[in-house]
C-alpha cells in the first residue's frame, strides 16, 4: 500500500503524479473464505478491516451486489453525532464518535472528519422539553451536549432566522460541539484500502442469491451471481436489503424499508458554519467542503425499494428551511436522490448473532447509520470473531422485540417518523 | 407522489392517505407464545416485489382498504376492500 504523507506527495509530484497506483485490489472470488461479509458499504468494509486488524483474521471477503459504497454510504447527509437519549444508544454512538476522532490517522486516509458542531433546533415547547432531557441524559453519561437560547443559537449559526413570528420559530437548540460531518466516499475508500492491504478480498458486482447451510443448520457458504463461495461465517451488512438476504436463511426481521430523500444546492462560498437539524420539520443541513448545501429531508411513509420518493417530502422540508435560513431562498438545488432505509420499530439498530449458527447481522440503522460506521463495523467484527457480542452492542439483538427490552429512540426523538 | 385509487372515493393524491403497513396480518389468539406474539407485533416480510399493504383515506372517507403495490417500481396493481381476498397479479413489476 502506498502511504500518504507530505513526503510521498512531494515525491509523486516530482514524478508528475504518474506513480499513484490503485488504492485497493479488485479481487475475483476464491472458492472458500473463513468469513464473508455481505455488503460493501462503509459498515461492511469497516467490519472486514477490523476483523483483519484487531482479530488477526486474514481469509476474509466482502461481496457487494453493485459497486463499492454505492448504496446508503453514498446517499446519506454525512452527519455524525452521539447525543442519543438512552445510555445503550449513546454508548454505541459515542464508541463510534471516538473512533471517528482517530480514523484518518488510523487508516492513513483523510476522511475529512470535521467536528463543526451539530445544533438540534427546537420549535415547540415539546421540542424544548425533549431536547433538554437529552442534554441532561447525555451529560450524566459523560457525553457533551448543551442547551442554547435562541440568541446563543444565532451566535453559533448566524444564518438562522430566530424571529418569533415564523411558522417554525427557534426556541433554542441542543448543541453537541464534538459532532460534525465526514466525507462519505472517503470513509468507504479508506476502509477498503486498509482492508485490502491486510489481505481482504473486495469483490464487486457479486450478488448473493442464496445462503447454504449444512443439515445442522450452520451456514456453509453463499450462492452468488459469480458462483458459489464457501464460508465458515457470514456477516450480513446489507442495509436496505437485509430482509431480502436474511430471508434466504429463513429469518424474518423486524424491519421495514422506506425511501429517504436528500438534495444538494449549487456550491457557494463558506456560508453555513455547522450542522443544523430539526426533527420537527425533518430538515438536516450542512455545507460540504465543495460548498454545496447538503440537505436531508424526511422519509416517505410506505415500503419501497425504488431509491426514490415523492416530491412533496423534500418540498415540505425546503419550505420550512427557506423561512428558517432566508439566505437559502435564492439557492438553486442541483441534485436530489433517495436511499432505502431499513427501519426497526424502535428506531435502534441490530448488531447481533442470528438464530442460524455462523450467521450474523448488522442492520436496522434506518435513517442514521453513517454516523455509526466505524463503531458498528468495529463491534460487528467483534461479534463475528468471538461469536458473542461486545458489551456495547449486547442490547442490540433481534430478541429484544420478543423480550420487550426495546431501546426506544423512536419515542425519544419525539417525532412522527 | 403516489396516485391512490380509494375503492370508495376514486383516485386521489397520496397526501390524503395514511399508510397502514403490511396487510393480512391476523391477530393471534391470546394464549400464543411470546415469540409468536412478537412476530405478530414486529416481524414483517418487508417484501421486495408485490406487497399487500393497508392504506387509510384519512383526509377523505376515513376508511381502510388494501392495495397491491410492487415495491421495486411503486406501481399499484390492485385496490381492494378489507376482508376480501388478495387478488392474484402474478410477479408484477
Amino acid at each position: 500500500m502506498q502511504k500518504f504523507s507530505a513526503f510521498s506527495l512531494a515525491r509523486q509530484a516530482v514524478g508528475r503524479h504518474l506513480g499513484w497506483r490503485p488504492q485497493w485490489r479488485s479481487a475475483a472470488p476464491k472458492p472458500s473464505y473463513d468469513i464473508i461479509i455481505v455488503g460493501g458499504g462503509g459498515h461492511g468494509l469497516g467490519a472486514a478491516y477490523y476483523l483483519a486488524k484487531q482479530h488477526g483474521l486474514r481469509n476474509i471477503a466482502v461481496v457487494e451486489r453493485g459497486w463499492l459504497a454505492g448504496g446508503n454510504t453514498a446517499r446519506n447527509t454525512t452527519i455524525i453525532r452521539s447525543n442519543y437519549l438512552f445510555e445503550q444508544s449513546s454508548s454505541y454512538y459515542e464508541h463510534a464518535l471516538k473512533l471517528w476522532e482517530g480514523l484518518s490517522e488510523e487508516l492513513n486516509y483523510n476522511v475529512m472528519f470535521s467536528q463543526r458542531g451539530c445544533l438540534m433546533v427546537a420549535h415547540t415547547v415539546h421540542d424544548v422539553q425533549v431536547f433538554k432531557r437529552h442534554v441532561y441524559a447525555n451529560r450524566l453519561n459523560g457525553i457533551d451536549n448543551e442547551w442554547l437560547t435562541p440568541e446563543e443559537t444565532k451566535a453559533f449559526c448566524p444564518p438562522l432566522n430566530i424571529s418569533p413570528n415564523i411558522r417554525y420559530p427557534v426556541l433554542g437548540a441542543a448543541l453537541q460541539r464534538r459532532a460534525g460531518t465526514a466525507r462519505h466516499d472517503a470513509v468507504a475508500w479508506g476502509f477498503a484500502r486498509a482492508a485490502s492491504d491486510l489481505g481482504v478480498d473486495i469483490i464487486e458486482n457479486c450478488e448473493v442469491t442464496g445462503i447454504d447451510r449444512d443439515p445442522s443448520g450452520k451456514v456453509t457458504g453463499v450462492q452468488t451471481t459469480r458462483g458459489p463461495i464457501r464460508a465458515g461465517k457470514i456477516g450480513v451488512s446489507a442495509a436496505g436489503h437485509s430482509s431480502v438476504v436474511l430471508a434466504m436463511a429463513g429469518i424474518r426481521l423486524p424491519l421495514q424499508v422506506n425511501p429517504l430523500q436528500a438534495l444538494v444546492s449549487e456550491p457557494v462560498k463558506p456560508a453555513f458554519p455547522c450542522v443544523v437539524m430539526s426533527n420537527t420539520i425533518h430538515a438536516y443541513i450542512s455545507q460540504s467542503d465543495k460548498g454545496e448545501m447538503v440537505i436531508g429531508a424526511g422519509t416517505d411513509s410506505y415500503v419501497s425499494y425504488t431509491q426514490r420518493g415523492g416530491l412533496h417530502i423534500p418540498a415540505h422540508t425546503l419550505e420550512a428551511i427557506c423561512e428558517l435560513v432566508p439566505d437559502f431562498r435564492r439557492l438553486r438545488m442541483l441534485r436530489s436522490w433517495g436511499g432505502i432505509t431499513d427501519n426497526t420499530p424502535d428506531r435502534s439498530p441490530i448488531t447481533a448473532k442470528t438464530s442460524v449458527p455462523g450467521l450474523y447481522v448488522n442492520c436496522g440503522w434506518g435513517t442514521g447509520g453513517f454516523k455509526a460506521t466505524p463503531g458498528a463495523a468495529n463491534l460487528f467484527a467483534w461479534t463475528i470473531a468471538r461469536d458473542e457480542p461486545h458489551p456495547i452492542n449486547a442490547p442490540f439483538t433481534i430478541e429484544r422485540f420478543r423480550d420487550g427490552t426495546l431501546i426506544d429512540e423512536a419515542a425519544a426523538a419525539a417525532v412522527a417518523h | 407522489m403516489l396516485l391512490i385509487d380509494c375503492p370508495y372515493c376514486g383516485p386521489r393524491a397520496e397526501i390524503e392517505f395514511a399508510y397502514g403497513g403490511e396487510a393480512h396480518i391476523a391477530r393471534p389468539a391470546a394464549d400464543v407464545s411470546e415469540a409468536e406474539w412478537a412476530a405478530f407485533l414486529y416481524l414483517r416480510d418487508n417484501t421486495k416485489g408485490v406487497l399487500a399493504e393497508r392504506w387509510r383515506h384519512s383526509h377523505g372517507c376515513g376508511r381502510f382498504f388494501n392495495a397491491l403495490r410492487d415495491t421495486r417500481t411503486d406501481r399499484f396493481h390492485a385496490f381492494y376492500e378489507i376482508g376480501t381476498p388478495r387478488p392474484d397479479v402474478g410477479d408484477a413489476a
Side-chain angles (χ1 to χ4, degrees), chain A residues 7-61:
Chain A
F7 175 71
S8 71
L9 189 64
R11 204 177 52 166
Q12 293 291 342
V14 170
R16 298 169 62 209
H17 291 291
L18 297 173
W20 295 111
R21 292 194 300 275
Q23 298 293 305
W24 59 87
R25 294 173 295 112
S26 181
K30 289 194 287 189
S32 175
Y33 292 93
D34 294 340
I35 299 171
I36 289 179
I37 303 289
V38 181
H43 285 223
L45 293 164
Y49 166 73
Y50 287 115
L51 278 167
K53 178 79 178 180
Q54 293 189 334
H55 302 281
L57 299 157
R58 285 294 181 274
N59 193 18
I60 303 166

Side-chain angles (χ1 to χ4, degrees), chain B residues 12-25:
Chain B
R12 300 290 180 88
E14 178 196 336
I15 48 171
E16 292 188 14
F17 296 84
Y19 189 59
E22 196 172 315
H24 304 297
I25 297 175

Side-chain angles (χ1 to χ4, degrees), chain A residues 324-387:
Chain A
L324 193 61
V325 191
D327 292 356
F328 286 3
R329 284 180 190 170
R330 284 160 50 187
L331 276 180
R332 280 166 293 197
M333 290 297 144
L334 273 193
R335 290 178 285 123
S336 74
W337 63 91
I340 50 176
T341 61
D342 48 331
N343 298 291
T344 58
D346 62 0
R347 294 302 188 275
S348 286
I350 295 165
T351 307
K353 297 166 67 169
T354 68
S355 54
V356 173
L359 186 62
Y360 308 83
V361 67
N362 175 42
C363 67
W365 288 97
T367 59
F370 178 76
K371 67 174 77 67
T373 302
N378 183 264
L379 299 177
F380 193 37
W382 174 292
T383 306
I384 295 170
R386 305 199 178 205
D387 195 36

Side-chain angles (χ1 to χ4, degrees), chain A residues 65 240-241 243-244 252-259 300-306 308-312 345 398 401-403 406, chain B residues 1-2 14-15 18-19 21-22 25 34-35 38-39 41-49 51 53 55 69-74:
Chain A
R65 180 175 71 119
H241 279 78
S243 295
V244 176
R252 291 177 86 209
L253 289 169
L255 290 181
Q256 283 201 150
V257 292
N258 299 89
D300 288 84
S301 62
Y302 48 84
V303 171
S304 177
Y305 286 85
T306 57
R308 60 175 183 262
L311 188 60
H312 61 290
I398 303 173
F401 295 97
R402 180 197 64 200
D403 301 338
L406 303 186
Chain B
M1 190 181 300
L2 304 177
E14 178 196 336
I15 48 171
Y19 189 59
E22 196 172 315
I25 297 175
E34 285 180 356
L41 286 178
Y42 297 119
L43 299 188
R44 296 293 177 265
D45 287 340
N46 202 18
T47 310
K48 185 178 185 182
L51 172 70
E53 62 189 7
W55 288 90
R69 184 174 51 86
D70 195 312
T71 60
R72 295 167 296 187
T73 58
D74 287 345

